[in-house]
């Protein structure tokens, strides 16, 4: 019996038919002349990233005439259902670009190859163990984590300097208490110290919660996942709640926004700071008015230290691929240190590989690159995506509960009760 899958395959079956049209020759993935043909589905979407991926495919194909790779464009918006349909229809791409928090159901369902016997020693050694944990499900490794994105504060330089607040550094970030004070100081007539775009609140809450000493997800004596709301879990959630509902230093209207939605208000001086993923720097550069001064700051740190959770982008191989060895060789090529740097710069993210991360081009002060690379040592696996039942808990329990709490509709006790009691009932169904 295959594992329960988060969402049923629906009309996205048409995408599988489109994918089928990209297939090579016979059922064994070879052209009539014997050339092995691999399909690589990429989710790159920014022009720089798409160009980098396509150029690397071109370089591989020029050097490997017997193993040719077809580039297939996918979309982050529909990837889960599209992949599910292609797996069930036997038409999955050979090499699959996704994110670690989307892999659990596919890995436990037997759709993704265990890469342990295929990974070259160079690649295993270059990517740190903490990153490999994000793609380890049960005993198998079902993806190669290659790009990651810390959350940072994008701040209006002029407003921050005028406030007289201490400038935080990766070595000496603000505490959550200091951060709350600073946002109050930055708040003035017609301006909020910060806006929290929390249209998708769960990953932000869990990942930043690590710095406060929280985890929410724990393991019992039988190694089953259980939810507990402990004091550390209230640090980040309580700060956001109080900024919105007590201090008035965070814009209530931003809670339902995505990150891009909040940028116009930031450029217009309505918000002094935004907590955003590292890659948003590209949008800031492209959209900021001429002369607008901005800077990249580390997120606050609490009892847990200057750490936060991440769900890296990944490259996996379909279990049904007839050419797993060649698929892994292509992944190894894509993730050679110079190529990993090209992919990271194309997506404005950080590489997981130690050698790529040390590249001088990723350690310049310009556009905050140096701040990001300094934060890399504090990145940890996101607390929950490997847990069976996490997607249902996230969608049906945590998202509405956190949205109501941050808006002030429920208090901390009710938040804890709903996250834990309702959540443990969900997890129990997946762990019988």
């Amino acid at each position: 019996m295959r594992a329960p899958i988060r969402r049923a395959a629906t009309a996205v079956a048409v995408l599988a038919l489109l994918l089928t049209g990209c297939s090579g020759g016979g059922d064994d993935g070879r052209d009539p002349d014997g050339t092995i043909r691999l399909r690589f589905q990429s989710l790159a979407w920014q022009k720089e990233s798409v160009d980098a991926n396509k150029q690397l495919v071109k370089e591989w194909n020029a050097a490997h005439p017997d193993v040719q790779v077809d580039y297939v464009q996918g979309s982050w918006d529909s990837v889960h259902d599209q992949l599910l349909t292609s797996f069930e229809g036997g038409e999955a791409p050979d090499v699959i670009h996704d994110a670690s928090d989307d892999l659990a159901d596919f890995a436990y369902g037997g759709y993704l190859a265990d890469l342990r016997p295929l990974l070259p020693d160079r690649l295993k050694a270059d990517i740190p163990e903490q990153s490999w944990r994000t793609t380890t499900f049960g005993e198998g490794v079902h993806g190669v984590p290659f790009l990651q994105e810390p959350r940072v504060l994008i701040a209006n330089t002029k407003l921050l300097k005028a406030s007289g607040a201490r400038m935080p550094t990766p070595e000496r970030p603000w505490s959550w208490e200091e951060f709350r004070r600073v946002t109050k100081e930055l708040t003035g007539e017609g301006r909020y110290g910060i806006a929290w775009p929390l249209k998708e609140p769960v990953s932000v809450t869990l990942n930043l919660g690590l710095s406060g000493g929280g985890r929410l997800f724990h393991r019992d004596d039988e190694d089953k996942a259980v939810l507990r709301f402990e004091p550390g879990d209230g640090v980040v959630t309580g700060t956001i709640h109080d900024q919105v509902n007590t201090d008035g230093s965070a814009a209530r209207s931003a809670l339902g926004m995505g990150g891009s939605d909040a940028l116009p208000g930031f450029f217009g001086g309505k918000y002094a700071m935004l907590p955003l993923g590292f890659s948003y720097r590209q949008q800031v550069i492209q959209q900021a008015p001429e002369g607008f001064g901005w800077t990249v700051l580390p997120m606050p740190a609490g009892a847990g230290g200057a750490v936060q959770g991440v769900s890296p982008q990944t490259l996996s191989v379909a279990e049904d691929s007839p050419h797993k060895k060649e698929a892994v060789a292509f992944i190894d090529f894509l993730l050679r240190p110079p190529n990993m740097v090209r992919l990271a710069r194309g997506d404005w993210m950080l590489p997981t590989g130690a050698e790529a991360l040390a590249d001088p081009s990723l350690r310049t002060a310009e556009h905050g690159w140096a701040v990001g690379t300094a934060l890399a040592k504090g990145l940890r696996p996101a607390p929950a995506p490997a847990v069976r039942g996490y997607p249902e808990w996230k969608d049906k329990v945590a998202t509405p509960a956190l949205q109501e709490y941050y808006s002030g509709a429920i208090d901390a006790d009710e938040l804890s009760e709903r996250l834990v009691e309702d959540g443990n009932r969900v997890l129990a169904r997946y762990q019988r």
Side-chain angles (χ1 to χ4, degrees), residues 149-160 167-168 174 179 183 186 192-197 259-260 262-263 265-267 270-285 288 292-300 348 367-369 371-372 375:
E149 180 174 29
R151 192 163 292 268
V152 293
L153 290 168
I154 308 292
N156 181 314
T157 307
K158 181 179 178 180
L159 294 176
L160 188 61
M167 291 287 284
W174 287 325
F179 170 62
T183 57
L186 286 167
Y192 294 95
I194 194 163
W196 286 94
S260 299
L263 287 176
F266 176 63
F267 298 141
K270 185 176 181 180
Y271 319 126
M273 293 190 293
L274 291 177
L276 296 172
F278 196 53
S279 63
Y280 274 90
R281 296 169 302 133
Q282 185 189 39
Q283 290 187 48
V284 174
I285 291 167
F292 182 82
W294 59 280
T295 190
V296 177
L297 306 174
M299 291 300 298
W348 289 75
H367 306 324
W369 279 107
V371 173
L375 297 176

Side-chain angles (χ1 to χ4, degrees), residues 25-47:
D27 293 337
D28 65 348
R30 291 180 184 268
D31 286 344
D33 65 358
T35 301
I36 292 173
R37 190 160 294 277
L38 302 174
R39 286 175 293 145
F40 164 43
Q41 178 169 298
S42 169
L43 301 180
W45 64 276
Q46 300 184 93
K47 184 180 185 303

Side-chain angles (χ1 to χ4, degrees), residues 321-364:
S321 172
H323 301 291
K324 297 182 182 66
K325 180 179 177 182
E326 290 80 6
V328 171
F330 172 66
I331 290 174
D332 183 45
F333 166 79
L334 282 180
L335 303 186
R336 291 175 184 172
N339 295 343
M340 195 184 281
V341 171
R342 292 162 67 181
L343 294 172
R345 291 189 64 85
D347 257 327
W348 289 75
M349 297 175 74
L350 298 179
T352 58
E355 190 172 340
L357 193 63
D359 190 277
S361 71
L362 301 181
R363 293 181 171 269
T364 64

Side-chain angles (χ1 to χ4, degrees), residues 417-431:
E417 180 179 338
R418 287 170 60 175
L419 292 178
V420 174
E421 294 187 14
D422 294 351
N424 279 328
R425 282 194 288 270
V426 170
L427 299 188
R429 294 204 314 272
Y430 288 81
Q431 300 182 104

Side-chain angles (χ1 to χ4, degrees), residues 54 97 142 236 322 348 422:
K54 288 185 174 180
H97 180 192
H142 296 279
V236 173
W348 289 75
D422 294 351

Side-chain angles (χ1 to χ4, degrees), residues 77-313:
D77 293 337
S78 58
V79 64
H80 185 92
D81 286 339
Q82 178 262 313
L83 283 175
L84 173 58
T85 302
S86 65
F87 284 134
E88 291 287 3
E91 294 292 345
D94 299 276
V95 178
I96 298 164
H97 180 192
D98 204 349
S100 62
D101 60 358
D102 192 43
L103 297 186
D105 287 340
F106 297 140
Y108 288 121
Y111 296 118
L112 300 177
D114 180 2
L115 302 180
R116 288 176 300 169
L118 300 170
L119 290 170
D121 290 340
R122 179 207 68 80
L123 192 57
K124 288 189 286 187
D126 188 47
I127 297 175
E129 188 273 336
Q130 65 196 32
S131 294
W132 286 115
R133 292 207 311 269
T134 66
T135 58
T136 299
F137 303 94
E139 296 298 319
V141 172
H142 296 279
V144 181
F146 72 106
L147 293 179
Q148 55 191 349
E149 180 174 29
R151 192 163 292 268
V152 293
L153 290 168
I154 308 292
N156 181 314
T157 307
K158 181 179 178 180
L159 294 176
L160 188 61
K161 289 182 176 178
S163 74
R166 178 181 71 83
M167 291 287 284
T169 65
E171 296 73 29
R172 191 170 169 241
W174 287 325
S175 67
W176 284 99
E177 294 84 357
E178 187 178 7
F179 170 62
R180 184 177 168 188
R181 291 196 301 271
V182 170
T183 57
K184 286 195 285 187
E185 292 166 2
L186 286 167
T187 300
E189 186 174 352
R191 183 181 70 244
Y192 294 95
I194 194 163
W196 286 94
L198 290 175
K199 184 178 181 180
E200 300 287 343
V202 180
S203 62
V204 176
T205 301
L206 289 178
N207 290 338
L208 294 182
L210 292 180
S211 73
R215 285 199 63 85
L216 265 179
F217 285 81
H218 303 267
R219 292 283 174 178
D220 64 15
D221 294 339
E222 298 179 351
D223 199 36
K224 292 183 177 180
V226 294
L227 287 150
R228 293 198 300 270
F229 195 96
E230 298 179 340
D233 296 301
V235 173
V236 173
T237 54
T239 299
I240 297 172
H241 173 277
D242 291 347
Q243 285 175 323
V244 174
N245 298 284
T246 303
D247 305 338
S249 60
R252 184 183 305 275
S253 59
L255 293 175
M257 294 181 180
S260 299
D261 302 327
L263 287 176
F266 176 63
F267 298 141
K270 185 176 181 180
Y271 319 126
M273 293 190 293
L274 291 177
L276 296 172
F278 196 53
S279 63
Y280 274 90
R281 296 169 302 133
Q282 185 189 39
Q283 290 187 48
V284 174
I285 291 167
Q286 292 174 339
Q287 299 174 22
E290 186 176 353
F292 182 82
W294 59 280
T295 190
V296 177
L297 306 174
M299 291 300 298
V307 299
Q308 55 180 285
V310 290
S311 297
Q313 293 188 23

Side-chain angles (χ1 to χ4, degrees), residues 69-80:
V69 173
D70 293 330
Y71 181 95
V72 180
Q73 186 63 61
S75 168
W76 286 108
D77 293 337
S78 58
V79 64
H80 185 92

